[in-house]
């Protein structure tokens, strides 16, 4: 994955579905040659299963999808399965009908599944190119990728607010131009990943003196920056706890990170109708990255239930009828 995906307890699990779900997943899902639904007219089943990957953000998105679809006349249920290797084949087979995904990450995942693990990545900072590649990979599998909205959950870099103020930093370019030496708290893979240490040096000219392998967006990594042991931390744009550590994000003004915009993905034969696209598109038209960060915070820090947070947000945007 190109961005940290926070883990949390599943908010809803349909236990009766799991035996069939797992059995289908073991076979790797339906083969491309046997997917007759790919050329069939888009379906509009009235009973839809919404998938979630089991971490806070995915749970909240799934709850919003379920609430909006239910309001539009669909019967909805939620299935939480953390492993993409399991839920994606179920999406192809129709055991899951709708799932929130991340454009660049999902494009690269499908590309590796289709063309092999060593296939060159197709996800990139270019959203249009990423979406074109993603839709090309999804269509033969009977999947439709709906339009992305404004919200994006991608890798991001944070420093303390005091550090940013002292050195007049708002962007990663500012940090590169400052000439400051930076020790980075991140995962140990950061030393090789193009979006991390190599990219910070090449794209921004940042003088990264070393990587402190405390993990991506973990509490120890943020504490290390808060305490001044490290100067910057690798996290995500929807990190809900940055303010708790006195941290602020530096803008990725040269677009080093991939276009991991939120995209609903649907099974074409069961949920490929224009009606479903319109219902979910209404959410994408208002949902922002900051909205997601706020909802993550309400669940992770304030201990609110994902369903309650989802309902409150939709109410605040006038998307639920009273």
């Amino acid at each position: 994955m190109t961005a940290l995906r926070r883990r949390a307890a599943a908010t809803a699990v349909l236990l009766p579905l799991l035996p069939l779900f797992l059995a289908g997943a073991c076979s790797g899902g339906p083969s491309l040659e046997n997917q007759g639904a790919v050329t069939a007219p888009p379906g509009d089943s009235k009973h839809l299963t919404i998938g979630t990957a089991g971490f806070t953000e995915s749970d909240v998105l799934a709850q919003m999808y379920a609430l909006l679809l239910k309001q539009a006349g669909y019967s909805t249920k939620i299935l939480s399965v953390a492993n993409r290797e399991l839920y994606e084949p179920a999406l192809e087979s129709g055991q899951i009908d709708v799932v929130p995904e991340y454009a660049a990450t999902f494009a690269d995942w499908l590309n590796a599944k289709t063309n092999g693990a060593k296939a060159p990545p197709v996800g990139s900072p270019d959203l249009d190119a990423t979406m074109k590649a993603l839709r090309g990979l999804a269509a033969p599998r009977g999947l439709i990728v709906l339009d992305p909205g404004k919200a994006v959950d991608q890798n991001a870099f944070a420093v303390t607010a005091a550090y940013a103020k002292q050195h007049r930093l708002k962007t990663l370019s500012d940090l590169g131009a400052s000439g400051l030496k930076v020790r980075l708290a991140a995962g140990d893979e950061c030393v090789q990943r193009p979006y991390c240490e190599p990219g910070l040096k090449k794209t921004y000219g940042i003088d990264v003196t070393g990587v402190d392998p405390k993990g991506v967006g973990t509490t120890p990594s943020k504490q290390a920056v808060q305490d001044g042991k490290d100067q910057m931390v690798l996290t995500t744009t929807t990190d809900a706890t940055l303010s708790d550590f006195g941290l602020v994000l530096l803008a990725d003004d040269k677009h080093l990170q991939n276009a991991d915009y939120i995209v609903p993905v649907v099974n074409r034969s069961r949920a490929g109708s224009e009606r479903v696209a319109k219902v979910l598109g209404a959410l994408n038209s208002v949902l922002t990255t900051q909205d997601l960060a706020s909802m993550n915070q309400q669940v992770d820090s304030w201990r609110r239930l994902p369903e309650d947070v989802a309902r409150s947000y939709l109410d605040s945007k006038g998307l639920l009828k009273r």
Side-chain angles (χ1 to χ4, degrees), residues 130-215:
T130 296
M131 286 298 297
K132 182 178 180 180
L134 173 55
R135 283 171 165 155
L137 290 161
R141 296 182 177 278
L143 306 178
I144 295 177
V145 183
L146 302 183
D147 290 340
K150 308 171 187 176
V152 58
D153 183 354
Q154 59 193 169
N155 294 305
F157 296 91
V159 299
T160 65
Y163 185 84
K165 182 177 180 181
Q166 178 185 357
H167 299 290
R168 299 181 180 180
L169 307 177
K170 292 185 178 181
T171 68
L172 289 172
S173 288
D174 292 339
L175 181 56
S178 73
L180 292 165
K181 295 185 181 299
V182 174
R183 182 171 161 87
L184 177 63
D188 54 11
E189 73 280 2
C190 176
V191 296
Q192 297 178 326
R193 297 291 173 86
Y195 65 80
C196 204
E197 181 182 352
L200 291 174
K201 290 180 175 179
K202 181 179 179 180
T203 303
Y204 289 106
I206 296 173
D207 187 1
V208 179
T209 60
V211 172
D212 186 3
K214 284 184 165 61

Side-chain angles (χ1 to χ4, degrees), residues 14-22 49 77-79 95-96:
L14 304 183
L15 293 178
L17 278 179
L18 286 177
L20 285 175
F21 179 75
L22 293 173
T49 298
K77 295 180 181 179
I78 293 179
L79 175 65
Q95 290 174 304
I96 291 176

